[in-house]
Amino acid sequence: MTGRILPFGPLMAARPDPAGAAFVLPFRAKRPATTDETPLDPGEAERFRRLILPHLDGTYSFARFLCRDASLAEDLVQDAFLKAYRGFRGFRGGEPRAWLFAIVRTSHLTSVRRRSEPSADPEVLETMASDADTPEAALLRQGEVDAVRGAIESLPEPFREALVLRELEELSYREIAEITSAPIGTVMSRLARARTMLLAALPLEETRP
Amino acid sequence: MSACPDKEVLLHGLLDGELDAANAQACEAHLKTCPGCAEVFGELQALSGRLSAPGVGYRAPAALRQRVEAMAEGPAAPRRRLRAAAPWALSGTFAAIAASLALVMLQPNTMALEDQLVASHVRSTLAAHLVDVETSDRHVVKPWFNGRIDFAPPVIELADRGYPLAGGRLDYVGDRVVAALVYRRNRHVINLFVWPTKPGLSLAPGPARRSGYSVAHWRSGGLEFWAVSDVDPRDLEAFHQAFANRMQS
């Protein structure tokens, strides 16, 4: 993990945040992995299995919350691990999940555009109502886990991805900013709004016996 | 009640462990004097506990796992697959079992109590024997201990403070059977070991860290409490305070 305790003051006014914008992934997911297509040697392949494969569940979970569809999520994840395997020589260390999630997210945005859905521009999505369950409908689902999942899925995408990366994957603000290509100040405000929306959708009384 | 407008973002930063030490301290001090902010912070903690509860995150389907693992074996070298895969897939499990056996066998009663507790905590998370009785309902956990041990550990619900109860277990520490209450904190596990105080023993020092694990000890109502976890020591201390406060009320 990179530094989890960040100086707070300067971050508060961040929009645009030059520090966040200048933060570059160790490996750019958008760059086609054309540099070196020769198969990984056994040592490299072993390292890939040790470092990258353990994040399959987390990557699938992130993909699933992102696209809200089980089979689309499988495709996204399989594609992401293939890309990661082919581009593994470009992986410069750091948090492997930040790398995998950025690949998943890029593929997701590309496939959303290809399906000619509404623009995936975060600025537009932020003001757009979600097409999934309303929070009220989500609450009608059975069980605590379903209710929580439904409430998360009802959040508009920029809030949903920030929340999942923080609360479920426990990534730092800086890592979330990297993955979502957003300034840290924006990550913070999205996270705060996501939680406010969830508190409204998931009253605490629901958990009490 | 709602939070002070100028403090709201700080509450999220504190919750996420993203404040520097000075801001974290100032924010914690403010929480002690401002009921509005304290209430909002409690709600955020409880929400966080529900979001990170096991089962909310999805797990990769088995078919996807097989495809990805086969791909990582290298499409160019299918013959290598069986030979290479087995040792790699199993070595982690064997290492974990060997490590936990080593903890049990090599270090008998001479181990310091804290080390025994940490070893027990590690075993509980490795050996898929975290709980004997798995429930978040204290009314189930409490009677479960009846007849199994000669004292009644207080079973306290702290889900609203971000520490949901996961269940209970019997364990063996310091030459006696003890109760272990299992709580969760986000994705981490807190083992709370409880047994009756022996008269004449002096109080051990407060929060300590042993080989990457946080340990907190306190005494209350004739019982010894030892909390062990890999959470941040400050989180464990907050757990201790929350537990002790609720036990008294």
Side-chain angles (χ1 to χ4, degrees):
Chain A
M1 287 276 175
T2 47
R4 297 296 310 271
I5 297 179
L6 298 169
F8 206 71
L11 302 180
M12 305 283 297
R15 182 188 253 269
D17 176 0
F23 206 89
V24 176
L25 273 177
F27 170 83
R28 270 275 161 220
K30 282 173 195 160
R31 190 184 67 194
T34 50
T35 42
D36 191 355
E37 283 285 356
T38 55
L40 300 183
D41 67 43
E44 287 170 324
E46 211 287 321
R47 193 164 159 263
F48 178 87
R49 291 191 292 267
R50 187 163 42 83
L51 287 179
I52 307 299
L53 278 193
H55 302 297
L56 181 62
D57 280 332
T59 308
Y60 177 77
S61 187
F62 173 63
R64 179 78 187 260
F65 278 115
L66 200 59
C67 69
R68 296 179 293 198
D69 181 285
S71 65
L72 278 181
E74 280 202 42
D75 292 348
L76 277 176
V77 172
Q78 186 170 341
D79 184 52
F81 273 81
L82 190 61
K83 282 181 178 149
Y85 187 76
R86 289 186 180 149
F88 187 55
R89 287 202 186 92
F91 177 59
R92 303 260 177 270
E95 169 59 70
R97 287 178 302 166
W99 185 51
L100 286 165
F101 292 177
I103 299 175
V104 164
R105 186 175 178 276
T106 306
S107 309
H108 168 68
L109 293 181
T110 311
S111 73
V112 166
R113 273 190 215 107
R114 203 177 296 137
R115 277 179 277 135
S116 68
E117 282 187 17
S119 161
D121 178 3
E123 294 302 319
V124 177
L125 278 172
E126 243 172 272
T127 54
M128 200 179 70
S130 162
D131 56 351
D133 285 354
T134 61
E136 292 74 21
L139 260 188
L140 292 175
R141 297 198 202 186
Q142 284 304 298
E144 162 76 5
V145 164
D146 283 349
V148 172
R149 283 177 171 176
I152 296 172
E153 284 172 9
S154 74
L155 297 172
E157 187 162 303
F159 304 100
R160 190 166 70 237
E161 66 181 2
L163 183 100
V164 168
L165 292 174
R166 175 59 223 154
E167 293 280 18
L168 278 75
E169 301 304 326
E170 299 186 334
L171 295 177
S172 69
Y173 290 176
R174 183 168 288 278
E175 286 162 339
I176 299 169
E178 281 174 51
I179 294 167
T180 58
S181 315
I184 287 182
T186 305
V187 170
M188 288 163 63
S189 64
R190 284 177 185 168
L191 208 44
R193 271 188 65 193
R195 284 171 171 152
T196 307
M197 286 188 262
L198 283 183
L199 280 175
L202 294 165
L204 197 55
E205 285 69 34
E206 292 296 313
T207 53
R208 293 204 173 130
Chain B
M1 226 180 280
S2 59
C4 308
D6 61 322
K7 296 286 190 299
E8 196 152 8
V9 188
L10 283 170
L11 296 182
H12 291 271
L14 183 68
L15 182 77
D16 293 327
E18 297 267 1
L19 298 189
D20 60 25
N23 273 305
Q25 252 177 359
C27 195
E28 277 165 2
H30 175 75
L31 283 179
K32 290 201 176 104
T33 59
C34 175
C37 283
E39 187 186 334
V40 170
F41 190 67
E43 286 174 359
L44 290 174
Q45 281 183 313
L47 176 68
S48 192
R50 294 174 73 186
L51 293 174
S52 56
V56 173
Y58 291 96
R59 296 179 68 88
L64 172 67
R65 179 173 297 280
Q66 278 172 9
R67 288 200 300 276
V68 169
E69 283 175 355
M71 180 273 298
E73 287 304 325
R79 256 186 308 162
R80 222 187 56 218
R81 191 175 302 165
L82 273 179
R83 258 198 354 244
W88 172 72
L90 292 174
S91 61
T93 316
F94 281 138
I97 292 171
S100 66
L101 283 179
L103 285 172
V104 180
M105 295 167 68
L106 297 178
Q107 302 169 320
N109 302 336
T110 52
M111 269 170 98
L113 182 61
E114 284 97 328
D115 292 328
Q116 287 190 40
L117 291 165
V118 168
S120 184
H121 170 80
V122 174
R123 273 203 306 281
S124 78
T125 57
L126 278 181
H129 181 221
L130 187 56
V131 289
D132 290 324
V133 50
E134 183 175 4
T135 169
S136 60
D137 187 349
R138 69 192 182 93
H139 301 296
V140 175
V141 177
K142 201 166 167 56
W144 183 85
F145 282 114
N146 278 346
R148 292 184 167 87
I149 41 178
D150 53 1
F151 61 98
V155 183
I156 288 171
E157 252 161 46
L158 292 168
D160 56 327
R161 303 294 303 270
Y163 304 96
L165 181 66
R169 179 181 82 244
L170 291 183
D171 214 316
Y172 192 80
V173 175
D175 295 329
R176 65 159 300 145
V177 176
V178 305
L181 300 173
V182 181
Y183 289 86
R184 290 191 186 276
R185 172 64 175 171
N186 298 329
R187 295 219 160 158
H188 306 279
V189 167
I190 299 175
N191 267 295
L192 179 62
F193 299 94
V194 187
W195 65 87
T197 300
K198 267 190 205 159
L201 285 178
S202 62
L203 193 67
R209 230 173 141 73
R210 297 185 93 85
S211 56
Y213 291 90
S214 308
V215 180
H217 172 236
W218 68 96
R219 235 173 230 182
S220 181
L223 295 171
E224 301 279 335
F225 294 86
W226 289 88
V228 184
S229 181
D230 58 346
V231 297
D232 187 271
R234 281 191 306 185
D235 257 358
L236 198 65
E237 189 49 33
F239 169 79
H240 162 200
Q241 294 303 339
F243 190 94
N245 287 344
R246 199 152 292 180
M247 198 176 149
Q248 279 159 11
S249 60

